[in-house]
Amino acid sequence: MDSMGAKRKDFIVNGDCIEVMREMPEKSVDMIFADPPYNLQLGGELTRPDNSRVTGVVDNWDKFVSQEDYDLFTKTWLMAARRVLKDDGTIWVIGSYHCIFRIGTILQDLGFWILNDIVWVKSNPMPNFKGTRFTNAHETLIWAAKCPKCKYTFNYEAMKAFNDDKQMRSDWEIPICLGNERIKGDDGEKAHSTQKPEALLYRVILSSTKPGDVVLDPFLGTGTTMAVAKKLGRSSIGIEKDKSYVKVAQKRLDSIEEVKDELLTTIVKKVESKVPFGSLIESGLIKAGDKIWDEKNKYSAVVRADGSIKTKDGMIGSIHRVGADLQNAPSCNGWKFWFIEHKGKKVPIDNLRQQYRKSAGI
């Protein structure tokens, strides 16, 4: 498998995922998205009130002899996945209530550190035709790192921008795969019983990878993961046992045009070097004895030589501590709270901090 991905951004392997992952280079992928068998254990056909048949998950790949057999399968493929995942990589696993709790337990037993569970709320779920239970309107995704202290990618700013400048929550309302997105076979029936919507994979890949990262899907199916990865400029590897699914996935992948690199840059919040208030004093940008005010001139203080400030009432402390105490607040960003006269204008002292960073080249 050494040639895998050497010259190509996408590589589909027809084979058993456990065997294939065991042959792959150790710590070679940045993110794994896994949609393993659900082990639904459906007993008999599911019908609507009019006796028409519901096309549920009745495929052979979803059948296991027992829960113990399914648990062993889960542990085995997760161990193989852990080996190929980089130390700073993450894994996503999706499942229904039939399997996700067992998978979560095994993930933790193997040393993975769960970062989030995401609830995929289906805006158009299949109804409960028999009326014997609540309508099953969601699936759960587990997002995990290799260990509690492992560094991992989370594109917080990008997901916030994606969500109209609001923090992205852990409940994602996305419709199930229908209409033109649902891939059909030659017989006109859906090609795969559990095809996931591209919108779901878009959030997964956008949030936890960078352009150029390698995404692995060990249960590729009709190729949704690789299709979205290609659209987002990520390299991808897909593993699938069923040759008919491989054929569909490859055709789907070949039809996708890549997006220009400059459009794939993920928004990242700039981490600026810390600058102590005292640095502005020793550099001469602010002098001991200078007076500072809040924006509304309600409070004032004098700068001291050691970097602390003193109010007219004798309160002494840092720009942050004094600002907080004056407002009876638990904290205060003194850089934004305090203003100073500079070149005839009243400006936030943060302006002088930025000037210091520029002059110091930091």
Side-chain angles (χ1 to χ4, degrees):
M1 303 300 293
D2 289 344
S3 62
M4 181 181 294
K7 295 183 179 180
R8 299 183 56 182
K9 294 189 70 175
D10 313 302
F11 200 100
I12 300 178
V13 183
N14 179 211
D16 179 270
C17 71
I18 296 171
E19 295 175 1
V20 174
M21 285 190 287
R22 284 173 174 170
E23 294 179 14
M24 290 174 60
E26 187 177 359
K27 299 180 181 180
S28 58
V29 301
D30 298 283
M31 193 269 276
I32 297 172
F33 178 83
D35 185 6
Y38 291 173
N39 192 26
L40 294 182
Q41 300 180 326
L42 293 177
E45 281 195 352
L46 180 63
T47 59
R48 299 181 178 88
D50 62 1
N51 291 321
S52 60
R53 180 173 172 270
V54 177
T55 53
V57 183
V58 293
D59 309 81
N60 288 329
W61 50 256
D62 197 53
K63 296 176 182 177
F64 293 83
V65 175
S66 63
Q67 289 286 13
E68 290 75 19
D69 184 38
Y70 182 76
D71 289 351
L72 177 60
F73 164 75
T74 300
K75 182 178 180 180
T76 306
W77 77 257
L78 279 173
M79 289 174 64
R82 184 177 177 85
R83 191 186 72 82
V84 300
L85 186 64
K86 294 179 182 178
D87 289 340
D88 57 357
T90 56
I91 183 170
W92 293 78
V93 187
I94 187 170
S96 66
Y97 65 88
H98 305 84
C99 63
I100 198 64
F101 303 109
R102 305 184 80 87
I103 293 172
T105 297
I106 295 169
L107 272 166
Q108 291 180 310
D109 288 345
L110 292 176
F112 287 98
W113 182 255
I114 295 178
L115 301 168
N116 274 116
D117 65 322
I118 303 294
V119 179
W120 168 29
V121 180
K122 303 174 183 179
S123 56
N124 54 343
M126 182 183 295
N128 184 271
F129 294 106
K130 292 185 178 180
T132 56
R133 305 184 188 182
F134 296 108
T135 297
N136 184 24
H138 77 276
E139 290 186 35
T140 302
L141 296 90
I142 296 175
W143 181 39
K146 287 187 76 171
C147 69
K149 295 184 179 181
C150 288
K151 295 182 178 180
Y152 56 90
T153 296
F154 176 51
N155 299 316
Y156 170 81
E157 295 295 332
M159 298 311 294
K160 189 175 180 181
F162 183 88
N163 198 39
D164 291 337
D165 286 332
K166 296 179 182 178
Q167 285 189 339
M168 180 68 76
R169 292 162 41 122
S170 61
D171 52 339
W172 298 354
E173 185 171 346
I174 297 171
I176 61 174
C177 195
L178 291 173
N180 293 331
E181 186 180 356
R182 172 64 77 170
I183 298 174
K184 302 291 180 60
D186 295 335
D187 58 0
E189 296 294 326
K190 54 188 179 183
H192 196 288
S193 55
T194 64
Q195 181 185 339
K196 297 300 183 289
E198 288 196 8
L200 183 69
L201 271 298
Y202 199 96
R203 292 193 191 186
V204 167
I205 295 172
L206 184 66
S207 66
S208 54
T209 64
K210 301 181 290 293
D213 278 359
V214 178
V215 176
L216 168 66
D217 187 333
F219 305 97
L220 184 62
T222 53
T224 302
T225 301
M226 294 186 73
V228 176
K230 186 173 182 180
K231 290 179 180 180
L232 288 172
R234 277 64 168 170
S235 299
S236 61
I237 302 168
I239 308 171
E240 176 53 54
K241 289 176 69 173
D242 192 313
K243 290 183 178 180
S244 64
Y245 292 158
V246 171
K247 184 178 178 181
V248 172
Q250 189 63 63
K251 182 179 179 181
R252 184 179 182 183
L253 199 61
D254 292 342
S255 69
I256 296 171
E257 294 185 9
E258 295 189 46
V259 179
K260 294 180 180 179
D261 289 344
E262 64 266 23
L263 301 178
L264 297 171
T265 304
T266 303
I267 297 175
V268 179
K269 186 174 183 180
K270 184 179 180 182
V271 180
E272 296 179 312
S273 302
K274 290 186 177 181
V275 176
F277 183 61
S279 295
L280 273 63
I281 299 172
E282 64 187 10
S283 69
L285 286 172
I286 294 178
K287 299 179 178 63
D290 281 350
K291 193 173 183 180
I292 56 178
W293 303 264
D294 70 304
E295 187 174 13
K296 296 181 179 179
N297 294 326
K298 183 177 179 181
Y299 308 110
S300 64
V302 175
V303 177
R304 290 158 49 94
D306 62 359
S308 63
I309 61 175
K310 181 178 181 181
T311 67
K312 61 182 179 181
D313 296 328
M315 186 183 297
I316 299 175
S318 70
I319 55 174
H320 311 294
R321 184 69 266 158
V322 173
D325 290 344
L326 288 171
Q327 301 173 89
N328 292 318
S331 62
C332 170
N333 183 345
W335 294 108
K336 305 289 186 181
F337 181 76
W338 294 108
F339 287 68
I340 193 169
E341 187 175 326
H342 181 67
K343 296 182 179 179
K345 293 182 179 181
K346 184 181 175 183
V347 300
I349 60 174
D350 191 45
N351 287 19
L352 301 186
R353 179 171 64 159
Q354 298 300 338
Q355 184 177 330
Y356 177 86
R357 283 195 176 112
K358 187 176 181 180
S359 63
I362 58 174

